[in-house]
């Protein structure tokens, strides 16, 4: 009989916390164990910050030493020099650690960009929609990515959020501040949704920041002249983890990383 089948919060030994949090980050926990640990994180901000820190380290290492088999086929990106991958990993690592430590918006006196507010509003409008949450469904993912890439005149990518239990359900074209924007929507088995908003952004680089309102959270950043915003509800620590991983997957780098 597997000893893990009787796993509960009460079964945690004092020295087990770090092992369990590391196992969560590495995907080594069973579904029941993961549910218990995530419940613990929701009630323990310090543990949630540690997990965000561990995830930031993991994504940085994965970018420094990528496995060819792990590259999604729909990542429409040019080959990136190894040195740029290292800088990218460091950027997401530092920004992710800042998020994990609860530093929130690292704006350094700069106002929140308009695209972050638009992304937050787009989530508020379309995430609750039952009949038509997206224009093009995930069943036509290749066409969706090609269409939105043409409209934004940039090669777009759809990062996988399967690790967090979210599956792409589709996307739509939206008006941005100075041109078109794209919104990709994901949903988990409980019906919770997160969205990734993408638009051209004049400022080449922008570190993580947060917009909050009415139970929503939008974490935004910019890289290579593109603005990104991840919006959702619920566990803030989980959203932060997803944002850091998404930043890394989309190739963020730190040539002029600033707030």
């Amino acid at each position: 009989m597997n000893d893990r089948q009787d796993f509960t919060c009460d079964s945690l030994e004092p020295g087990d916390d770090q092992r369990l949090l590391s196992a969560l980050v590495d995907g080594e926990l069973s579904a029941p164990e993961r549910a218990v640990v995530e419940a613990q994180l929701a009630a323990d901000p310090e543990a949630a910050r540690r997990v965000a820190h561990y995830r930031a380290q993991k994504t940085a290492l994965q970018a420094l030493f990528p496995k060819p088999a792990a590259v999604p086929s729909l990542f429409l990106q040019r080959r990136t020099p190894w040195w740029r991958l290292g800088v990218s990993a460091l950027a997401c690592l530092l920004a992710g650690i800042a998020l994990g430590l609860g530093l929130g918006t690292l704006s350094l006196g700069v106002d929140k960009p308009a695209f972050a507010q638009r992304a937050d509003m787009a989530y508020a409008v379309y995430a609750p929609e039952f009949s038509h949450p997206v224009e093009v469904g995930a069943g036509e993912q290749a066409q969706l990515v090609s269409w939105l890439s043409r409209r934004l005149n940039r090669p777009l990518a759809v990062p996988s959020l399967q690790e967090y239990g979210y599956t792409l359900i589709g996307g739509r074209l939206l008006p941005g501040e100075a041109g078109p924007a794209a919104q990709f929507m994901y949903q988990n088995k409980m019906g919770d949704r997160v969205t990734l908003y993408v638009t051209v952004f004049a400022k080449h680089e922008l570190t993580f920041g947060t917009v909050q309102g009415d139970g929503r959270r939008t974490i935004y950043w910019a890289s290579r002249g593109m603005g990104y915003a991840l919006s959702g509800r619920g566990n803030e620590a989980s959203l932060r983890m997803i944002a850091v991983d998404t930043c890394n997957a989309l190739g963020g780098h730190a040539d002029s990383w600033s707030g």
Side-chain angles (χ1 to χ4, degrees), residues 21-178:
L21 295 183
S22 296
L24 173 67
V25 172
D26 292 334
E28 296 175 351
L29 299 181
S30 65
E33 288 176 335
R34 183 180 179 118
V36 171
V37 175
E38 288 182 342
Q40 182 187 28
L41 293 179
D44 187 345
E46 177 59 31
R49 284 194 290 269
R50 287 168 59 191
V51 169
H53 178 77
Y54 294 159
R55 282 196 179 277
Q57 290 180 320
K58 179 183 176 182
T59 55
L61 290 173
Q62 286 176 333
L64 286 169
F65 305 103
K67 296 180 180 179
V71 179
S73 60
L74 278 175
F75 271 25
L76 309 178
Q77 299 178 17
R78 295 182 294 275
R79 290 186 177 275
T80 306
W82 65 267
W83 57 267
R84 188 176 291 280
L85 285 174
V87 176
S88 168
L90 179 61
C92 292
L93 170 62
L94 294 176
I97 289 174
L99 281 173
L101 293 175
L103 298 183
T105 304
L106 305 181
S107 61
L108 302 180
V110 179
D111 291 336
K112 293 178 174 62
F115 79 79
Q117 305 286 354
R118 285 178 173 270
D120 180 67
M121 185 56 62
Y123 176 86
V125 171
Y126 293 111
E129 179 64 34
F130 179 76
S131 299
H132 304 288
V134 298
E135 283 185 277
V136 180
E140 301 176 275
Q141 183 171 338
Q143 293 89 331
L144 171 66
V145 173
S146 177
W147 170 51
L148 294 177
S149 294
R150 288 197 306 270
R151 293 305 308 269
L152 271 68
N153 196 29
R154 296 288 192 283
L156 302 185
V158 183
S160 172
L161 302 185
Q162 290 285 359
E163 178 183 356
Y164 299 93
Y166 287 94
T167 301
L168 180 73
I169 63 174
R172 66 170 59 246
L173 182 69
L174 294 172
E177 181 182 14

